[in-house]
Amino acid sequence: MGDVKKVIYFELLGSFTYRNAGDAQQKSRAVPDKTGRKILSFLQYLVVNHARNISSEELIEQFWTEKSSSDPANALKNTLFKARNILKAMFPDQEGLILTFPGYYAWNPSVRLELDCEQFEQMCLEARTCSGTGYLEALLHTISLYRGDFLSGNDSDWAVSLRRYYQTLYLDACKEALPLLQKEERWTEMIGICEQALSADCGTDTFVVYQMQALIAMGRPEQAVELYRTFRERLWQEFEIEPAEPVEQMYMLAVSMRQNSMDSQDILKLAAEGGPDSRAFFCTFGVFQSIVALEKRHLERTGQTSALVIVSLGNKVIPTTDARRLERILLDGLRTGDPVARLDAGSYILMLTGASEENARLAMERIDRSFHKTYSHSRACISFRVSALKPGAVQVS
């Protein structure tokens, strides 16, 4: 390979920038703006695979299909010419960075490339060999190297697969570090890691639980409640699912902590009103089951009845839009404290406390009229099924 004369440092996590590794004062610079997307992806592929020879066949298979070019060999030659010109603009004092050999291409052996993603991967491996307090500090250093997703602007298949790989390494490191930080009560660092991890993977319950826990421990339950609401809304909009049980448990703890911070007059007022919201009580199905179980115990003592109702939308609906409309009508049209839970994208279950089956049907007919009066252009057809809730069993009618 010969003596190394020059070291070039490339950043691929969060951006695609470069600098001379030997100059600690030099700031990283972006690749010239006029670079086309395909040329840029081609250059990035060469950088990522700098440690090996890259055959012409591999590059043609990766960047040109039969449909995209009638002469892939010539397209490769032109793209390589443009990539070399970009490298000349980036490193005017360095000639011949990409060398051509019979059937393959390689980086000039007089230049060594260092990549932040490779350093990150190496630190992930080294962290696993540490123990005790050294393990946590190694994890934190590893996490700090991850400044964003791998080549986030490149949607080529080869880049997407590597992006998932580095993202998995990063998220695993975060999951390893959080319980150790929790043990040492390093709440601020926990919040910082969770916020960054959620920006990489917004649907992971683990990071929300740890962040809510840290906020509660720091005496900020209001922020924990707000985080829960934001996360719940995002989960439904993107995946149409509800938060997992650990998130719900942390939410209930945050609500309890927030209420305990009130004075006695505020608590009495809150209890008398059934909550700060005058609408029905929207909850997860798990919480709904607990409420129904408590109501059945109450009915055993009083001999009264309550009703369960499943409300569904028909097929001719705008999936998320009509579901949100129905949810809004249910929450506004039912009594304060009547629990409502989502079953799936187009159906809900609710409990009408102290209502007979006949009264429940009348209430649902009122909900149906209200929906179509408010959203007259909707093609949704609302159906409902009433079940009498009695001690010991639910009797379906």
Side-chain angles (χ1 to χ4, degrees):
M1 294 294 291
D3 294 332
V4 175
K5 298 178 181 179
K6 187 179 182 69
V7 180
I8 299 173
Y9 183 76
F10 281 98
E11 293 178 346
L12 293 87
L13 296 175
S15 63
F16 183 49
T17 58
Y18 67 95
R19 61 178 169 81
N20 293 319
D23 187 356
Q25 302 300 319
Q26 185 185 39
K27 292 183 178 180
S28 296
R29 289 174 289 182
V31 177
D33 294 337
K34 296 182 180 179
T35 305
R37 290 177 65 87
K38 190 162 191 173
I39 305 296
L40 182 61
S41 181
F42 182 87
L43 178 58
Q44 290 169 341
Y45 189 84
L46 295 178
V47 170
V48 170
N49 295 282
H50 67 94
R52 63 183 181 87
N53 300 332
I54 308 174
S55 69
S56 303
E57 290 77 9
E58 177 184 341
L59 291 170
I60 289 174
E61 183 179 349
Q62 191 67 245
F63 291 94
W64 291 277
T65 62
E66 293 181 1
K67 294 181 179 180
S68 66
S69 176
S70 58
D71 189 358
N74 190 54
L76 170 58
K77 187 182 298 183
N78 290 334
T79 302
L80 186 65
F81 175 77
K82 293 176 182 178
R84 281 174 167 149
N85 283 338
I86 294 170
L87 288 171
K88 286 181 182 179
M90 294 165 61
F91 308 102
D93 59 337
Q94 182 67 46
E95 293 290 334
L97 284 172
I98 301 294
L99 302 180
T100 301
F101 297 93
Y104 69 91
Y105 304 93
W107 284 85
N108 192 322
S110 67
V111 176
R112 187 175 84 241
L113 270 60
E114 293 182 355
L115 278 54
D116 64 342
C117 56
E118 292 179 346
Q119 294 176 354
F120 169 73
E121 181 182 30
Q122 184 61 33
M123 282 302 305
C124 287
L125 296 174
E126 291 179 4
R128 296 173 186 173
T129 65
C130 300
S131 59
T133 56
Y135 180 50
L136 174 57
E137 297 311 315
L139 286 171
L140 294 177
H141 177 61
T142 301
I143 291 169
S144 70
L145 296 177
Y146 193 89
R147 298 181 179 87
D149 289 340
F150 176 83
L151 295 177
S152 57
N154 190 336
D155 294 328
S156 303
D157 290 343
W158 71 268
V160 170
S161 61
L162 282 173
R163 186 176 307 141
R164 293 193 185 115
Y165 169 68
Y166 288 117
Q167 189 181 85
T168 299
L169 288 179
Y170 164 68
L171 295 175
D172 286 348
C174 291
K175 291 174 183 176
E176 289 290 321
L178 285 168
L180 301 177
L181 290 171
Q182 176 194 40
K183 188 176 180 180
E184 297 186 10
E185 299 184 1
R186 293 162 67 171
W187 310 121
T188 302
E189 290 171 272
M190 283 178 62
I191 291 172
I193 288 175
C194 290
E195 287 177 343
Q196 185 178 357
L198 283 169
S199 67
D201 183 8
C202 65
T204 301
D205 295 322
T206 301
F207 303 123
V208 175
V209 170
Y210 276 111
Q211 187 173 350
M212 291 178 69
Q213 184 181 61
L215 289 169
I216 292 170
M218 296 174 72
R220 293 149 59 183
E222 298 85 359
Q223 294 182 31
V225 170
E226 185 59 32
L227 173 63
Y228 165 83
R229 290 172 177 167
T230 301
F231 177 68
R232 182 175 175 274
E233 184 69 20
R234 187 189 302 127
L235 272 188
W236 181 249
Q237 287 181 350
E238 297 191 17
F239 309 109
E240 293 190 348
I241 59 175
E242 296 286 356
E245 193 62 29
V247 180
E248 294 295 339
Q249 292 172 353
M250 201 58 61
Y251 168 66
M252 298 302 289
L253 177 60
V255 171
S256 175
M257 291 283 292
R258 186 176 62 173
Q259 292 176 359
N260 288 339
S261 67
M262 302 177 182
D263 59 32
S264 58
Q265 192 63 33
D266 288 333
I267 293 174
L268 288 172
K269 183 179 179 181
L270 181 63
E273 292 177 352
D277 197 338
S278 61
R279 306 189 305 169
F281 175 62
F282 192 87
C283 58
T284 65
F285 185 70
V287 173
F288 183 87
Q289 287 179 303
S290 298
I291 294 173
V292 171
L294 288 172
E295 177 64 11
K296 288 173 69 175
R297 291 184 182 183
H298 172 72
L299 296 179
E300 281 187 287
R301 294 195 303 270
T302 64
Q304 298 175 343
T305 63
S306 291
L308 296 179
V309 184
I310 294 177
V311 186
S312 303
L313 292 166
N315 296 327
K316 298 180 179 180
V317 297
I318 305 172
T320 303
T321 302
D322 279 321
R324 286 298 188 196
R325 290 169 175 173
L326 177 57
E327 181 177 314
R328 191 175 300 114
I329 293 297
L330 288 172
L331 295 181
D332 289 338
L334 297 175
R335 298 168 300 178
T336 300
D338 282 341
V340 181
R342 186 185 292 115
L343 292 176
D344 55 40
S347 62
Y348 295 80
I349 187 169
L350 54 101
M351 183 175 71
L352 301 178
T353 306
S356 64
E357 293 180 62
E358 182 60 28
N359 288 337
R361 290 192 182 92
L362 292 173
M364 290 303 100
E365 290 171 1
R366 187 178 69 251
I367 290 292
D368 185 43
R369 290 193 299 270
S370 178
F371 180 92
H372 287 102
K373 181 179 179 180
T374 306
Y375 306 108
S376 56
H377 298 294
S378 173
R379 300 177 64 188
C381 179
I382 299 175
S383 62
F384 55 88
R385 186 180 182 188
V386 178
S387 300
L389 181 64
K390 296 181 180 180
V394 176
Q395 299 181 358
V396 180
S397 61

